[in-house]
Amino acid sequence: MDSFLAPLLILITAAAISAVLCVALRPLLARYALARPNARSSHSIPTPQGGGIAVLAGAFLALGPGLLHGPLPAGAQNDLVLVGAAAILLAVVGAWDDIRPLPASLRLVLQAACVGLVIVYAAPGLRLFPGLMPLALERVLALLAGVWFVNLVNFMDGIDWITIAGIVPLTGALALAGHAGALDLGSTWLAAALCGGLIGFAPFNKPRARLFLGDVGSLPIGLLTAYLLYRLAGTGAFAAALILPLYHLCDATLTLLRRLARGEKIWEAHRSHLYQQATTNGFSVLGIVTRIALLNLILIALAAFSLRIPDFWGQLACLAVALLLTAALLHSFARPRAAHG
């Protein structure tokens, strides 16, 4: 099958399955997994959560025929199965936490176990800094980064469509990068499948949302996205792997550092993210996610440009421009706005 046609079919199939499952599961989720508003919520009416089940099911079911009958090498098939298993385990942790919140320490241990499974068994030979540090240290840093990214996506899933605005462009770009030869075939298919699953979910999460992802979705989506970026960085495209998720990285990391500086309990729910501040500073939810999506399209262009520049200073320049643009958007969210946007 054509190298472009296969990911496209996977994306379309994942989107269709995800959309059908959102319709089918929503009444059940409304009965058993209803997110009720509280002081830290961004929604004002009870809304079912758990749409991540449809996203993941759509993605993995769309990958099934390719895994069974496709041209993937055995090693790539095993990697995808292991990553899928880790994501499902993390989804179970998220589902449990959605229904009956788990202690923060237990959540962190379970998340670390899933990330460690992916690093050790799904990407065993992948090295980012072989000449700079020993394997053990690199693995520890990868584990910390992976756990942070899993939580980061969860933290950032606080208003309607923000995960769509952040992860759909990113995974779509990774699927196209794979078509261009910048990623292995298995990662290309996974990116297309995850992108499709989220596209199928998007109409139900459109402001005002009729369905939320829930931790059952945001945690494994964070894991799968982190794995794809790890794979991209392992090809030498470290700058591109940083640029693509830069808005989510910066908003979440700056918020974490500010809360640490204030002595807050960082594992507790809050409304301190800059995208959340924007909702009280005069921005509409749609205005916020539109700006984030547009920034992400620019970040994709900068990441693509960095792939074509092999020298260190060129890649650093792309990263610097990306940081400046991201900082500008964060700054605008932090300032009161006279009229709603």
Side-chain angles (χ1 to χ4, degrees):
M1 186 178 292
D2 181 82
S3 61
F4 180 76
L5 184 58
L8 181 61
L9 287 175
I10 288 170
L11 186 150
I12 293 171
T13 303
I17 296 172
S18 176
V20 169
L21 287 175
C22 283
V23 173
L25 291 173
R26 189 176 179 276
L28 189 66
L29 295 172
R31 183 173 180 180
Y32 295 106
L34 201 63
R36 300 187 182 280
N38 56 48
R40 296 183 177 92
S41 301
S42 296
H43 63 290
S44 56
I45 59 173
T47 305
Q49 59 185 341
I53 297 171
V55 174
L56 293 175
F60 293 146
L61 288 173
L63 283 172
L67 286 173
L68 293 173
H69 307 292
L72 288 180
Q77 289 181 342
N78 292 337
D79 289 348
L80 280 183
V81 169
L82 283 166
V83 171
I88 291 169
L89 288 172
L90 203 49
V92 171
V93 173
W96 190 284
D97 200 43
D98 282 333
I99 297 169
R100 182 174 296 178
L102 296 169
S105 56
L106 179 58
R107 286 203 309 267
L108 197 62
V109 169
L110 293 172
Q111 290 167 8
C114 293
V115 173
L117 176 67
V118 170
I119 292 171
V120 174
Y121 294 105
L126 198 153
R127 295 294 307 272
L128 303 187
F129 311 109
L132 295 178
M133 62 183 68
L135 176 61
L137 177 58
E138 186 174 313
R139 288 275 174 85
V140 170
L141 293 176
L143 178 66
L144 293 173
V147 171
W148 173 229
F149 203 91
V150 165
N151 284 282
L152 174 157
V153 173
N154 183 37
F155 295 158
M156 292 296 292
D157 188 44
I159 58 173
D160 303 339
W161 254 8
I162 191 168
T163 300
I164 304 298
I167 307 301
V168 167
L170 189 158
T171 50
L174 288 172
L176 289 173
H179 173 64
L183 267 180
D184 63 277
L185 189 59
S187 298
T188 303
W189 285 12
L190 179 59
L194 183 55
C195 184
L198 284 166
I199 289 171
F201 166 74
F204 304 90
N205 193 238
K206 175 185 175 182
R208 174 176 303 190
R210 292 177 289 151
L211 186 61
F212 295 153
L213 275 176
D215 287 3
V216 66
S218 60
L219 294 176
I221 287 169
L223 177 67
L224 295 173
T225 307
Y227 170 75
L228 291 169
L229 292 169
Y230 188 42
R231 281 285 190 184
L232 180 65
T235 67
F238 192 76
L242 282 176
I243 291 170
L244 286 172
L246 199 58
Y247 177 81
H248 273 49
L249 278 173
C250 287
D251 192 328
T253 304
L254 285 172
T255 301
L256 175 71
L257 293 175
R258 284 165 38 205
R259 296 190 72 209
L260 283 171
R262 293 195 294 262
E264 298 179 11
K265 297 177 180 179
I266 59 173
W267 55 88
E268 292 183 348
H270 62 94
R271 284 185 51 81
S272 304
H273 286 285
L274 288 161
Y275 74 84
Q276 291 172 319
Q277 290 181 34
T279 62
T280 60
N281 283 338
F283 290 87
S284 68
V285 169
L286 190 58
I288 294 166
V289 296
T290 299
R291 285 166 173 81
I292 293 172
L294 290 173
L295 172 64
N296 282 327
L297 293 177
I298 298 171
L299 294 180
I300 288 169
L302 286 168
F305 194 54
S306 74
L307 292 175
R308 295 184 172 273
I309 303 175
D311 67 281
F312 171 79
W313 294 109
Q315 295 200 13
L316 187 62
C318 290
L319 181 58
V321 173
L323 281 167
L324 287 173
L325 292 172
T326 302
L329 182 59
L330 291 170
H331 181 65
S332 72
F333 284 167
R335 295 168 57 198
R337 182 177 172 83
H340 288 254

Short mmCIF file of all heavy atoms in Angstrom, two decimals, residues 6 17 46 57 93 96 128 163 196 232 242 247 292 295 303 339:
data_model
loop_
_atom_site.label_atom_id
_atom_site.label_comp_id
_atom_site.label_asym_id
_atom_site.label_seq_id
_atom_site.Cartn_x
_atom_site.Cartn_y
_atom_site.Cartn_z
N ALA A 6 -1.76 4.54 3.53
CA ALA A 6 -1.97 3.75 4.74
C ALA A 6 -2.23 4.63 5.96
O ALA A 6 -3.23 4.42 6.67
CB ALA A 6 -0.79 2.81 4.97
N ILE A 17 -14.45 5.49 14.00
CA ILE A 17 -14.72 4.63 15.16
C ILE A 17 -14.88 5.47 16.42
O ILE A 17 -15.79 5.25 17.23
CB ILE A 17 -13.60 3.59 15.34
CG1 ILE A 17 -13.56 2.63 14.14
CG2 ILE A 17 -13.79 2.81 16.64
CD1 ILE A 17 -12.37 1.69 14.15
N PRO A 46 -22.96 19.99 34.83
CA PRO A 46 -22.43 18.61 34.86
C PRO A 46 -22.26 18.06 33.45
O PRO A 46 -23.16 18.17 32.61
CB PRO A 46 -23.50 17.85 35.64
CG PRO A 46 -24.20 18.89 36.46
CD PRO A 46 -24.20 20.12 35.61
N ALA A 57 -9.83 3.69 21.78
CA ALA A 57 -10.39 2.54 21.06
C ALA A 57 -10.34 2.78 19.55
O ALA A 57 -10.00 1.87 18.79
CB ALA A 57 -11.83 2.29 21.52
N VAL A 93 -5.75 3.33 35.02
CA VAL A 93 -5.43 4.19 36.17
C VAL A 93 -6.26 5.47 36.11
O VAL A 93 -6.84 5.91 37.11
CB VAL A 93 -3.92 4.53 36.19
CG1 VAL A 93 -3.62 5.56 37.28
CG2 VAL A 93 -3.09 3.27 36.41
N TRP A 96 -10.01 4.82 36.86
CA TRP A 96 -10.21 4.65 38.31
C TRP A 96 -10.19 6.01 39.01
O TRP A 96 -11.02 6.29 39.88
CB TRP A 96 -9.12 3.74 38.87
CG TRP A 96 -9.37 3.32 40.29
CD1 TRP A 96 -9.20 4.07 41.42
CD2 TRP A 96 -9.87 2.05 40.74
NE1 TRP A 96 -9.53 3.36 42.53
CE2 TRP A 96 -9.95 2.11 42.15
CE3 TRP A 96 -10.21 0.87 40.09
CZ2 TRP A 96 -10.38 1.03 42.92
CZ3 TRP A 96 -10.65 -0.21 40.85
CH2 TRP A 96 -10.74 -0.12 42.24
N LEU A 128 19.51 9.48 22.98
CA LEU A 128 19.49 10.89 22.58
C LEU A 128 20.85 11.55 22.75
O LEU A 128 21.23 12.39 21.95
CB LEU A 128 18.45 11.65 23.42
CG LEU A 128 16.99 11.16 23.37
CD1 LEU A 128 16.09 12.13 24.12
CD2 LEU A 128 16.53 10.98 21.94
N THR A 163 -7.03 20.30 24.15
CA THR A 163 -6.23 19.14 23.77
C THR A 163 -6.33 18.90 22.26
O THR A 163 -5.35 18.50 21.63
CB THR A 163 -6.66 17.89 24.55
OG1 THR A 163 -6.48 18.15 25.95
CG2 THR A 163 -5.84 16.67 24.17
N GLY A 196 -6.45 10.76 14.31
CA GLY A 196 -7.79 10.42 13.89
C GLY A 196 -8.74 10.23 15.06
O GLY A 196 -9.89 10.70 15.04
N LEU A 232 11.00 10.85 17.66
CA LEU A 232 11.47 11.91 16.76
C LEU A 232 12.82 12.45 17.23
O LEU A 232 13.75 12.62 16.43
CB LEU A 232 10.45 13.04 16.70
CG LEU A 232 10.81 14.23 15.81
CD1 LEU A 232 10.88 13.80 14.34
CD2 LEU A 232 9.79 15.37 15.98
N LEU A 242 11.20 19.42 20.62
CA LEU A 242 10.90 20.43 21.63
C LEU A 242 9.93 21.48 21.12
O LEU A 242 9.06 21.95 21.85
CB LEU A 242 12.19 21.12 22.09
CG LEU A 242 13.09 20.37 23.06
CD1 LEU A 242 14.35 21.18 23.32
CD2 LEU A 242 12.37 20.10 24.38
N TYR A 247 3.89 25.10 23.32
CA TYR A 247 2.91 25.84 24.12
C TYR A 247 2.53 25.05 25.37
O TYR A 247 2.54 25.58 26.48
CB TYR A 247 1.64 26.19 23.33
CG TYR A 247 0.67 26.88 24.25
CD1 TYR A 247 0.81 28.24 24.51
CD2 TYR A 247 -0.30 26.17 24.95
CE1 TYR A 247 -0.01 28.87 25.44
CE2 TYR A 247 -1.12 26.80 25.88
CZ TYR A 247 -0.97 28.15 26.11
OH TYR A 247 -1.76 28.77 27.05
N ILE A 292 -4.15 29.19 20.29
CA ILE A 292 -3.21 28.10 20.54
C ILE A 292 -3.03 27.25 19.28
O ILE A 292 -1.90 26.87 18.92
CB ILE A 292 -3.68 27.23 21.72
CG1 ILE A 292 -3.61 28.03 23.03
CG2 ILE A 292 -2.84 25.95 21.84
CD1 ILE A 292 -4.24 27.33 24.21
N LEU A 295 -0.88 29.18 16.81
CA LEU A 295 0.52 29.12 17.23
C LEU A 295 1.11 27.76 16.90
O LEU A 295 2.24 27.67 16.41
CB LEU A 295 0.63 29.38 18.73
CG LEU A 295 2.03 29.15 19.34
CD1 LEU A 295 3.04 30.14 18.76
CD2 LEU A 295 2.00 29.23 20.86
N ALA A 303 9.37 23.74 13.24
CA ALA A 303 9.93 22.40 13.44
C ALA A 303 10.36 21.79 12.11
O ALA A 303 11.43 21.17 12.01
CB ALA A 303 8.90 21.51 14.13
N ALA A 339 -12.11 43.55 25.51
CA ALA A 339 -13.26 42.92 24.86
C ALA A 339 -13.02 41.43 24.71
O ALA A 339 -11.88 41.02 24.50
CB ALA A 339 -13.50 43.55 23.49
#
